[in-house]
């Protein structure tokens, strides 16, 4: 995480990524607080950096930070992506979400693969930060889909917000959220897919015995656009 964050903040190496974030409306203070990172368009930067620190190839493959090609070559899993470190409740980085910043081939968003310390069904992006900002008088948490929806709300001052990690809301998510809040407000995308996900989420919260409200966005907008 520190390696990628240093790349983002480097005057020249991270300029394109910082320009991208600025164009999306995010300031440098937010990038520093969230420890956002930049994975350069190179194949072995992180692998060589961590190998020199004594981390084994086997461990790096297990973590999902590097991958192996069909020919047996090891390469960095994240390239040419702005990175969102995914932390556990103690604030330790356990995975990454990466967003391509150009139109090259590949998925727009790429998450770390699941591994012994990262399970998407129980982790929520931003909960480490959100849990400290929940109002004790009205313990409510906002639930969105995706890193940029989270980031938009958080930077705008709605810091009691979390995001699911490219997967549907699960019973495990609800059980974790119940430890910190009594009520959830679901704010998914305004399009048909977002509304369908909202209704599924409503059922899961109710089945998990947690109070839930829905915030509907007009015009097919997502929270970031709105």
């Amino acid at each position: 995480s520190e390696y990628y964050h240093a790349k983002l903040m480097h005057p020249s190496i991270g300029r394109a990524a910082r320009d991208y974030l600025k164009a999306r409306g995010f300031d440098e203070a937010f990038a520093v607080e969230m420890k956002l990172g930049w994975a350069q368009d190179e194949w072995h930067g992180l692998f060589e950096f961590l190998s020199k620190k004594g981390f084994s190839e086997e461990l790096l493959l297990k973590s999902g930070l590097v991958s192996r090609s069909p020919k047996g070559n090891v390469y960095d899993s994240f390239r040419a992506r702005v990175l969102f470190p995914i932390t556990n409740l103690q604030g330790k980085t356990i995975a990454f979400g990466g967003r391509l910043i150009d139109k090259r081939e590949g998925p727009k968003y790429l998450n770390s693969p699941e591994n012994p310390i990262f399970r998407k069904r129980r982790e929520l992006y931003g909960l480490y930060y959100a849990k400290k900002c929940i109002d004790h008088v009205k313990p409510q948490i906002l639930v969105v889909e995706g890193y940029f929806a989270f980031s938009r709300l958080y930077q705008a001052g709605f810091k009691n917000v979390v995001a699911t990690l490219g997967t549907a809301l699960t019973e495990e998510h609800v059980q974790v959220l119940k430890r910190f809040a009594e009520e959830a407000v679901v704010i998914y995308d305004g399009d048909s897919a977002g509304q369908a996900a909202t209704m599924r989420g409503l059922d899961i919260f109710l089945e998990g015995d947690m109070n839930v409200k829905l915030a509907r966005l007009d015009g097919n907008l997502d929270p970031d656009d709105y």
Side-chain angles (χ1 to χ4, degrees):
S1 183
E2 291 171 357
Y3 169 86
Y4 284 132
H5 183 63
K7 296 292 185 184
L8 177 69
M9 304 312 294
H10 190 280
S12 56
I13 293 174
R15 182 177 294 123
R18 292 196 308 276
D19 288 347
Y20 172 81
L21 289 169
K22 184 177 180 180
R24 294 289 299 259
F26 300 106
D27 58 34
E28 188 171 302
F30 175 79
V32 171
E33 182 178 2
M34 294 291 123
K35 295 183 174 60
L36 302 187
W38 169 237
Q40 291 174 264
D41 189 12
E42 58 182 16
W43 290 93
H44 306 107
L46 182 72
F47 177 62
E48 292 176 358
F49 175 79
L50 293 178
S51 295
K52 289 176 182 177
K53 288 186 171 291
F55 293 98
S56 69
E57 182 177 303
E58 179 186 5
L59 180 62
L60 296 179
L61 286 165
K62 194 174 184 179
S63 74
L65 291 171
V66 303
S67 305
R68 191 188 301 279
S69 73
K71 294 183 179 181
N73 299 317
V74 175
Y75 60 91
D76 293 355
S77 298
F78 295 101
R79 300 179 307 284
R81 294 177 182 272
V82 169
L83 294 184
F84 294 81
I86 300 166
T87 63
N88 62 16
L89 287 173
Q90 291 72 46
K92 295 181 178 181
T93 303
I94 55 174
F96 291 97
R99 200 329 181 155
L100 275 178
I101 67 169
D102 57 26
K103 297 183 183 295
R104 72 184 61 210
E105 288 187 14
K108 183 188 294 185
Y109 290 96
L110 179 67
N111 284 330
S112 292
E114 294 200 339
N115 59 51
I117 61 170
F118 175 53
R119 293 285 185 269
K120 285 189 289 187
R121 289 185 58 83
R122 83 172 170 248
E123 302 296 341
L124 290 152
Y125 181 71
L127 183 55
Y128 170 71
Y129 300 95
K131 68 178 184 175
K132 297 177 282 189
C133 302
I134 293 173
D135 190 328
H136 295 296
V137 177
K138 188 179 181 181
Q140 184 184 75
I141 195 155
L142 313 178
V143 182
V144 299
E145 289 184 304
Y147 307 105
F148 282 100
F150 166 92
S151 301
R152 178 66 57 212
L153 270 68
Y154 190 92
Q155 185 174 274
F158 299 93
K159 297 191 175 185
N160 57 326
V161 60
V162 296
T164 51
L165 298 167
T167 186
L169 187 80
T170 68
E171 296 174 4
E172 291 95 324
H173 289 145
V174 174
Q175 294 308 309
V176 171
L177 290 174
K178 284 174 66 175
R179 294 168 54 187
F180 304 101
E182 295 177 1
E183 181 178 80
V185 180
V186 178
I187 318 172
Y188 286 175
D189 296 0
D191 61 15
S192 58
Q195 292 303 301
T198 297
M199 298 312 295
R200 288 194 299 271
L202 173 65
D203 289 338
I204 292 170
F205 275 114
L206 293 175
E207 289 169 4
D209 198 27
M210 186 173 182
N211 294 334
V212 60
K213 291 180 179 176
L214 310 180
R216 186 173 63 85
L217 302 181
D218 291 328
N220 291 338
L221 299 177
D222 63 28
D224 183 21
D225 293 329
Y226 187 84

